[in-house]
């Protein structure tokens, strides 16, 4: 009887991907107020900025993108060949009243031979104003914890805090610790 139950369980596991894998989700946290614009696992979706402009995602000719539509004009940014999850937020870095777009792209990564390497996450920050988009930050954060704060992006590795990027005058600067000699 015990052997029959084990065999039945193994057959169910082999036929169901949920038995041997977990859904991947990035570990990006916010410290402060953010506004959700678009969260999707579908290639084509749409959301809305707080200023009223439409935000759309899609894939065309082997490239996935998001675009902001302002007065009928489309500003498009390429995100890669595909994605498993897309999250777009508005966040006010520096408390200057300007809201930057934070784009988090979860995707399955393949090596040069086409073999599966596993899930990864890319983090982008864009400056946006009246139909114009400018990328000001890009980092592959893999599956490690990342905290977005008012003036900083903190990137953690398993050993602890690894890198801090400081937002100052509309740009990000990597903070490098310097050992002070006594």
């Amino acid at each position: 009887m015990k052997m029959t139950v084990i065999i039945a369980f193994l057959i169910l596991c082999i036929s169901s991907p949920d038995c041997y894998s977990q859904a991947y989700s990035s570990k990006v946290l916010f410290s402060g107020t953010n506004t959700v614009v678009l969260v999707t696992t579908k290639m084509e979706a749409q959301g809305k900025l707080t200023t009223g402009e439409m935000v759309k995602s899609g894939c065309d000719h082997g490239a996935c993108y998001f675009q902001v539509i302002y007065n009928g004009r489309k500003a498009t940014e390429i995100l890669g060949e595909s994605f498993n999850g897309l999250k777009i937020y508005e966040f006010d870095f520096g408390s200057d009243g300007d809201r930057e777009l934070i784009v988090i792209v979860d995707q399955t990564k393949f090596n040069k031979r086409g073999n599966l390497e596993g899930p990864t996450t890319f983090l982008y920050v864009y400056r946006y104003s009246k139909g114009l988009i400018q990328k000001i930050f890009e980092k592959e954060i893999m599956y490690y914890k990342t905290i977005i704060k008012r003036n900083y992006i903190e990137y953690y590795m398993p050993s602890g805090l690894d890198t801090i990027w400081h937002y100052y005058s509309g740009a990000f600067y990597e903070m490098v610790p310097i050992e002070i000699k006594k």
Side-chain angles (χ1 to χ4, degrees):
M1 176 68 178
K2 188 176 186 180
M3 188 61 121
T4 307
V5 171
I6 291 173
I7 292 172
F9 177 74
L10 289 174
I11 290 171
L12 286 173
C13 281
I14 290 170
S15 64
S16 172
D18 293 335
C19 224
Y20 56 86
S21 68
Q22 295 178 348
Y24 174 73
S25 181
S26 55
K27 296 179 183 171
V28 178
L29 308 169
F30 288 88
S31 176
T33 305
N34 64 6
T35 304
V36 178
V37 174
L38 176 66
V39 175
T40 186
T41 55
K42 299 176 183 177
M43 294 298 167
E44 293 188 17
Q46 67 181 17
K48 197 176 217 182
L49 296 174
T50 55
T51 54
E53 290 95 337
M54 294 298 299
V55 175
K56 290 186 176 183
S57 67
C59 292
D60 190 26
H61 295 92
C64 292
Y65 59 86
F66 82 94
Q67 55 187 202
V68 179
I69 302 168
Y70 177 78
N71 288 339
R73 191 176 58 212
K74 297 176 183 177
T76 304
E77 284 293 320
I78 303 298
L79 300 174
E81 295 177 5
S82 67
F83 61 81
N84 300 347
L86 172 64
K87 301 170 191 148
I88 301 175
Y89 301 92
E90 288 181 309
F91 189 79
D92 186 7
F93 280 104
S95 296
D96 57 2
D98 294 331
R99 293 176 155 254
E100 286 75 24
L101 298 178
I102 296 176
V103 178
I104 302 165
V105 181
D106 296 328
Q107 61 183 208
T108 304
K109 190 173 183 181
F110 295 92
N111 62 20
K112 292 179 182 177
R113 294 184 185 140
N115 298 329
L116 178 67
E117 286 187 354
T120 191
T121 299
F122 289 90
L123 173 68
Y124 304 98
V125 179
Y126 295 90
R127 181 179 297 121
Y128 172 75
S129 178
K130 297 181 181 179
L132 300 174
I133 297 175
Q134 179 185 16
K135 187 186 310 179
I136 58 174
F137 183 83
E138 174 181 0
K139 174 72 176 160
E140 181 180 8
I141 58 174
M142 295 178 274
Y143 47 82
Y144 299 122
K145 179 172 81 170
T146 304
I147 300 176
I148 297 174
K149 297 184 173 184
R150 183 174 63 95
N151 290 319
Y152 302 98
I153 296 176
E154 295 178 351
Y155 178 64
Y156 291 83
M157 296 289 280
S159 59
L161 182 61
D162 182 71
T163 309
I164 298 174
W165 293 278
H166 177 64
Y167 181 80
Y168 179 74
S169 294
F172 285 93
Y173 299 91
E174 184 175 352
M175 297 178 72
V176 179
I178 299 173
E179 184 177 327
I180 299 174
K181 296 179 182 179
K182 296 180 182 182

